[in-house]
Amino acid sequence: EDKVVQSPLSLVVHEGDTVTLNCSYEVTNFRSLLWYKQEKKAPTFLFMLTSSGIEKKSGRLSSILDKKELSSILNITATQTGDSAIYLCAVPRSLPGAGSYQLTFGKGTKLSVIP
Amino acid sequence: GAVVSQHPSRVICKSGTSVKIECRSLDFQATTMFWYRQFPKQSLMLMATSNEGSKATYEQGVEKDKFLINHASLTLSTLTVTSAHPEDSSFYICSASSIRGGGRSNQPQHFGDGTRLSIL
C-alpha cells in the first residue's frame, strides 16, 4: 500500500518568513509526486515532480524531488497571509486499463501566516 | 472556466434525506472519476473510484449501499448519500482523470470545487 507522510502537520509563521514543507513517500512503481494547495474549497494544483534534483518554480513557491531519499520539499519564500492554507502532497498510482491514476494523499501541512 | 464542475456546492438537510451530488467534466472525457471525503482538519480520503459504464470500486470501510455511485457517461458521475445522518456531514470532493490525449497533461486528476454537506 502506498504511503505519503508530510511534516510538519501544522506551522505558524510571520509574514516575510521562508518555510519548508516536507513530504516523504513509500510507493511501488513511482511515477511522480504532486503538490496541492487547499484553501476553503478543493485542492489547487501546484507542481508535479518526476525527475530528481530538478527544481520547479512558480513565483515564491518552489519544489524539488529527491528520489534517493524518497522525499520532496516545498519552499515558500517571503510568505504572505494569502499563503495560509493546507498544503497536500500526493502520489499517483496507475489504474489498470483506462490510463488513469489514483492519488494517495498525505495528511497535509496546515500553514498559517500571521501579519 | 472550470475543468470539473461539482454541484451543489452546499447542502443542508434533515437526517434521513438522500442527497445527490453531481460531478461533470466540462472539456474532456473522463473514463475515471474519484470521490473523496474530507472531515475537518483531515486530509482527503478516497471513498471510491468510478469507472464509466461499470460498477464503482469502493475503498475499505465505505458502504456501497450508503454511497451510491453512478458513472453513466464520460462526463458525468453522481454520488448519492442515502438516508444521510449527521455523521455523514463532511466535505465531498470529486475529481476526474482524463483519458490519454484529453485534459491537461501535467495533472493526473482535475478536482471539482467540492460539496459541503451538513445533516441536521
Side-chain angles (χ1 to χ4, degrees):
Chain A
E1 189 180 313
D2 295 348
K3 207 187 285 187
V4 179
V5 178
Q6 290 185 247
S7 64
L9 291 180
S10 68
L11 193 52
V12 181
V13 300
H14 287 96
E15 265 191 320
D17 287 350
T18 293
V19 297
T20 298
L21 311 182
N22 300 286
C23 176
S24 62
Y25 58 88
E26 285 179 34
V27 302
T28 50
N29 300 318
F30 177 83
R31 298 182 68 92
S32 60
L33 182 145
L34 301 107
W35 283 98
Y36 291 88
K37 176 182 181 183
Q38 186 180 23
E39 296 172 269
K40 294 202 186 301
K41 292 189 176 180
T44 304
F45 173 77
L46 294 176
F47 299 112
M48 182 165 84
L49 305 164
T50 53
S51 301
S52 210
I54 299 174
E55 185 183 57
K56 289 221 171 171
K57 207 167 163 59
S58 176
R60 296 176 294 101
L61 276 67
S62 63
S63 184
I64 196 160
L65 178 67
D66 186 338
K67 284 188 185 177
K68 195 173 168 187
E69 296 295 324
L70 305 183
S71 66
S72 173
I73 58 170
L74 175 69
N75 279 319
I76 309 175
T77 58
T79 52
Q80 301 171 357
T81 54
D83 295 326
S84 297
I86 297 174
Y87 290 84
L88 295 163
C89 172
V91 290
R93 176 165 60 91
S94 60
L95 295 174
S100 58
Y101 301 90
Q102 186 178 74
L103 291 178
T104 301
F105 283 90
K107 290 189 177 194
T109 293
K110 183 177 179 183
L111 175 66
S112 301
V113 181
I114 53 179
Chain B
V3 176
V4 174
S5 171
Q6 189 173 338
H7 178 80
S9 59
R10 184 89 165 96
V11 180
I12 301 172
C13 57
K14 291 182 181 178
S15 189
T17 307
S18 290
V19 178
K20 183 189 273 190
I21 303 170
E22 290 188 350
C23 182
R24 292 179 187 274
S25 57
L26 297 183
D27 58 358
F28 66 97
Q29 292 182 322
T31 51
T32 307
M33 288 185 171
F34 303 89
W35 289 96
Y36 296 87
R37 181 167 51 183
Q38 186 176 33
F39 291 108
K41 298 182 183 179
Q42 293 188 26
S43 190
L44 278 74
M45 296 301 297
L46 180 66
M47 296 175 67
T49 302
S50 164
N51 297 295
E52 185 266 335
S54 63
K55 289 183 180 178
T57 304
Y58 289 82
E59 295 300 301
Q60 198 171 10
V62 179
E63 298 174 57
K64 60 182 179 184
D65 295 329
K66 171 83 173 170
F67 299 99
L68 301 178
I69 290 172
N70 185 285
H71 192 160
S73 76
L74 283 171
T75 59
L76 174 65
S77 176
T78 60
L79 168 68
T80 301
V81 183
T82 61
S83 187
H85 290 286
E87 58 266 27
D88 298 321
S89 299
S90 188
F91 190 50
Y92 292 86
I93 307 172
C94 75
S95 71
S97 184
S98 60
I99 59 176
R100 287 195 183 88
R104 296 177 190 163
S105 59
N106 65 335
Q107 299 184 43
Q109 290 185 20
H110 309 277
F111 287 89
D113 279 342
T115 297
R116 195 161 297 282
L117 176 62
S118 300
I119 308 297
L120 306 176

